[in-house]
Amino acid sequence: RWIMKKIYIAGHKNPDTDSAVAAYCYAKFKSKTDPSFQYIPAVCGTVNAQTKFIFEKAKAEIPVLLKDVYPRVIDVARKDGMRLYMNEPVFEAVKDLDENTLSVIPVFGEDEKFSGIVGIHEIVNYMMTSGKSEKQRYTFSLDNIEAVIPGKFLKRGNPEEFSATIMIGAMDMDYLSTKIFTLKDKPLLVVGKREKIIQKALEYDLPAIILTNVTDNSYFEGDIGNYKGSIYLSQKDTAETIRLLWLSAPIKHIANTNPFVFQHDDLFDDAKKILLSSELRGVAVLEDGKFAGVVTRRSFIEKPRKKIILVDHNEITQSVNGAAEAEICEIIDHHRLAAEKTITPIYIFSKPVGSTSTLVYQHHKIYNVPIDRESAELLLAGILADTLFLKSPTTTADDIIAAQECASAIGADIKAFGSEIMSKMPLLKNADPKKTVNSDLKIYTENSFSFGISQIETVALSDLPDVADSFLQALESLRTEKHIDSAMLLVTDVIHGNSKLIITDWPKIEENLIYKKESSGLYDLPGILSRKKQLLPEILRCLA
């Protein structure tokens, strides 16, 4: 069964509005221009209140949360292979395992509920047990006897399914009578053309009699009027009939109903180690308690790689966990390039504009794909949010044109639309320091130093002195947790176009900063709005 391959489109960790909007709208664009893949928009962390509001306003679903792209068991599990049902004969399992060179086959109940597995181990164990004792009991089904043994019923009695030992009618009458009386339960009798033995079996009312090597109905002429069991006429000789009888038992008689299973989200590498270090040949995979497929040792020969498209970033360190093991298909970004090497050439669209949403808008224009109202509203919000409502020095003519045309498409006034978004910005006194320093964090590495810069936009800086110490403590915890040289928070007043910088102790950098120091770890940055275009170059200058 053909399954459409998935490609995840995801922004950076700690997503902002632009990365979430760009991922969502680019996925819609790709779905229209390339229907051969299933494009799934994703975010790599919890979105902020502003982003939630924007998606709710546009009546759009927030992209799925993508915690990582490490390969997992479900990526190699086969759900479209052979399957058997509990009441089918063991013969079907033997045939399927042999003809299709399978390791295990999942077994289901009549309600399509996964009930266990059957494989070479279960078959061998069953056959070995069958040869150990003549007292071995088997489960017999009339339907399965007819399906497995060539022949037909002379009489189909009751019950339809029963458990019994097998007795071969190859003894004299006296021994047969004594033998039957000594058995706790009545056996199923397999017998050739032995009329006296057959008659005695009818008198004892055995559950079933199988007559072997039958070529026509004249083989048996006894009175069966009062007999309640079943009589089957087998075209095979006694030895072959008994072999097939063993194989007519329902699979539930031998299935492993409590097998070891993998969960769908078990890591590929972990599952491979478990399987290869065990005697298991195949394992069922469950998802929320339901059957999701089967994996065998062959499933782990080649490690799968999930396909992802990076938007609003191009560095693996800023990407979703496991991105280094994934196949990066495209990059759509407006930041400096520090992308990893790729095995094959990929499509990269990078321009020095103020927002990735602008680049997604331009793709619609380049490929002549009409922008629907939902995309226009989301892209407008993404552009305004990432360019600080077109006030950021990163804002270009491309951003302004894109914003104007998206606003025109939905009949919105840019200033009024921006004010509505601005109203959802958090007040500093209400912000959680730990969440704030992690929510829009970018980590950079330069000249053997590593540092992180977070940014929060607000409508006023007046309450910053009251909360600066708590933000500084959160930054220090972040620095320790990420093992970086320094952690910084750029607090930006989008109304007046100014910022404040909170930075953990980093003497060699702080003594060279051009900004005015207001107190320990706090600097005034008048006219500074952009982390990327204004603050980062100053930090890099100090490092140089």
Side-chain angles (χ1 to χ4, degrees):
R1 186 168 58 90
W2 181 77
I3 300 176
M4 185 180 291
K5 291 184 178 180
K6 298 177 180 178
I7 296 182
Y8 291 94
I9 302 180
H12 48 75
K13 295 176 182 176
N14 310 311
D16 57 9
T17 295
D18 184 41
S19 67
V21 163
Y24 184 89
C25 294
Y26 195 62
K28 287 183 65 177
F29 167 80
K30 292 294 291 185
S31 297
K32 293 175 182 177
T33 57
D34 180 20
S36 60
F37 288 94
Q38 180 185 2
Y39 291 93
I40 303 173
V43 291
C44 305
T46 304
V47 299
N48 58 40
Q50 182 192 70
T51 305
K52 287 181 180 177
F53 168 75
I54 288 168
F55 274 88
E56 289 171 358
K57 177 177 169 59
K59 296 181 174 59
E61 289 188 13
I62 295 174
V64 299
L65 177 60
L66 188 64
K67 295 180 179 179
D68 63 66
V69 287
Y70 291 115
R72 299 185 181 275
V73 170
I74 193 64
D75 297 324
V76 293
R78 287 198 58 183
K79 191 176 182 179
D80 58 342
M82 303 291 301
R83 59 166 54 196
L84 294 167
Y85 292 87
M86 282 295 202
N87 288 324
E88 287 190 87
V90 172
F91 179 84
E92 290 298 325
V94 173
K95 183 180 70 173
D96 290 343
L97 289 167
D98 178 53
E99 293 179 354
N100 298 286
T101 61
L102 301 173
S103 299
V104 295
I105 302 176
V107 183
F108 297 81
E110 293 180 358
D111 56 357
E112 296 294 329
K113 182 179 180 181
F114 174 71
S115 301
I117 62 168
V118 63
I120 299 297
H121 176 77
E122 285 73 31
I123 297 295
V124 170
N125 186 60
Y126 172 61
M127 300 304 291
M128 292 295 292
T129 304
S130 298
K132 284 183 179 180
S133 171
E134 61 179 354
K135 295 294 189 298
Q136 177 70 31
R137 296 181 65 83
Y138 303 93
T139 300
F140 296 107
S141 161
L142 299 187
D143 285 342
N144 288 355
I145 289 174
E146 188 174 35
V148 173
I149 304 174
K152 63 181 180 180
F153 279 102
L154 179 65
K155 175 179 174 59
R156 190 181 179 111
N158 289 310
E160 284 287 325
E161 186 175 291
F162 57 92
S163 179
T165 58
I166 297 175
M167 176 176 281
I168 301 174
M171 66 284 285
D172 59 47
M173 284 295 300
D174 291 339
Y175 183 79
L176 174 69
S177 299
T178 302
K179 189 70 174 176
I180 291 177
F181 275 122
T182 59
L183 294 175
K184 183 178 180 180
D185 298 307
K186 295 179 180 179
L188 174 148
L189 179 67
V190 179
V191 63
K193 193 171 183 180
R194 303 283 296 274
E195 295 180 3
K196 290 184 179 180
I197 291 179
I198 295 171
Q199 191 59 45
K200 187 62 68 174
L202 294 172
E203 293 174 7
Y204 288 145
D205 206 28
L206 300 186
I209 304 170
I210 297 184
L211 307 180
T212 62
N213 210 25
V214 177
T215 56
D216 56 63
N217 290 354
S218 62
Y219 185 94
F220 180 78
E221 299 176 352
D223 181 12
I224 60 175
N226 296 323
Y227 177 57
K228 297 177 182 178
S230 300
I231 300 176
Y232 190 76
L233 307 180
S234 170
Q235 297 175 7
K236 298 295 183 177
D237 60 28
T238 300
E240 181 64 8
T241 297
I242 291 174
R243 187 185 74 85
L244 294 175
L245 260 180
W246 284 344
L247 298 177
S248 75
I251 287 174
K252 64 186 177 184
H253 189 63
I254 69 165
N256 181 354
T257 56
N258 187 31
F260 174 80
V261 298
F262 287 132
Q263 298 302 318
H264 75 288
D265 57 352
D266 287 340
L267 291 173
F268 176 92
D269 289 337
D270 293 345
K272 180 178 181 179
K273 289 178 183 177
I274 291 172
L275 190 57
L276 296 184
S277 63
S278 72
E279 296 181 354
L280 299 170
R281 293 178 174 270
V283 177
V285 180
L286 302 184
E287 182 173 2
D288 298 328
K290 296 181 179 179
F291 177 75
V294 168
V295 290
T296 64
R297 297 185 175 209
R298 283 177 291 180
S299 305
F300 295 92
I301 293 176
E302 184 176 352
K303 191 172 185 176
R305 301 174 71 204
K306 290 186 177 179
K307 298 177 180 290
I308 58 173
I309 293 175
L310 307 184
V311 296
D312 201 30
H313 73 295
N314 63 80
E315 298 181 56
I316 293 298
T317 55
Q318 296 181 7
S319 196
V320 60
N321 292 334
E325 298 183 28
E327 179 185 349
I328 298 174
C329 303
E330 297 182 22
I331 295 175
I332 311 296
D333 191 22
H334 67 127
H335 296 95
R336 67 171 189 165
L337 287 176
E340 299 290 321
K341 291 182 180 179
T342 59
I343 297 175
T344 58
I346 66 170
Y347 177 75
I348 298 178
F349 193 84
S350 177
K351 293 178 68 176
V353 296
S355 167
T356 307
S357 295
T358 298
L359 302 182
V360 176
Y361 162 83
Q362 291 181 343
H363 272 77
H364 285 78
K365 290 294 185 180
I366 293 170
Y367 290 89
N368 197 28
V369 176
I371 300 178
D372 57 61
R373 181 180 180 85
E374 179 186 74
S375 293
E377 184 170 346
L378 289 173
L379 290 174
L380 174 59
I383 294 169
L384 295 181
D386 222 39
T387 61
L388 298 182
F389 310 97
L390 304 179
K391 294 180 181 179
S392 170
T394 61
T395 306
T396 65
D398 286 357
D399 300 301
I400 295 172
I401 292 172
Q404 290 173 339
E405 294 194 5
C406 285
S408 176
I410 62 174
D413 176 76
I414 289 181
K415 187 174 181 180
F417 190 89
S419 297
E420 188 176 10
I421 296 174
M422 196 179 298
S423 68
K424 301 302 175 181
M425 286 184 171
L427 296 174
L428 293 178
K429 64 181 180 180
N430 297 330
D432 180 290
K434 184 176 180 180
K435 288 183 179 179
T436 298
V437 301
N438 279 280
S439 63
D440 186 17
L441 172 66
K442 298 275 176 57
I443 294 180
Y444 304 93
T445 300
E446 191 77 18
N447 293 346
S448 76
F449 293 100
S450 59
F451 56 95
I453 306 178
S454 304
Q455 185 172 17
I456 180 174
E457 289 133 14
T458 185
V459 292
L461 295 174
S462 56
D463 52 354
L464 180 58
D466 298 330
V467 296
D469 286 344
S470 61
F471 281 123
L472 188 57
Q473 290 175 13
L475 285 169
E476 184 58 39
S477 297
L478 176 67
R479 185 194 67 79
T480 302
E481 178 187 334
K482 299 293 185 180
H483 304 289
I484 53 181
D485 294 289
S486 180
M488 313 172 202
L489 175 64
L490 184 66
V491 186
T492 302
D493 179 350
V494 297
I495 300 293
H496 300 96
N498 297 312
S499 294
K500 302 285 185 180
L501 176 66
I502 305 174
I503 178 173
T504 60
D505 187 36
W506 201 6
K508 291 184 179 181
I509 295 299
E510 293 186 69
E511 66 186 21
N512 289 308
L513 285 174
I514 62 174
Y515 309 124
K516 179 182 177 182
K517 186 173 185 178
E518 294 189 340
S519 61
S520 179
L522 181 62
Y523 291 81
D524 182 35
L525 283 64
I528 299 298
L529 294 173
S530 172
R531 165 179 49 189
K532 174 180 68 176
K533 198 165 185 177
Q534 294 174 301
L535 176 58
L536 179 60
E538 171 61 10
I539 301 298
L540 296 180
R541 182 193 67 80
C542 293
L543 283 175

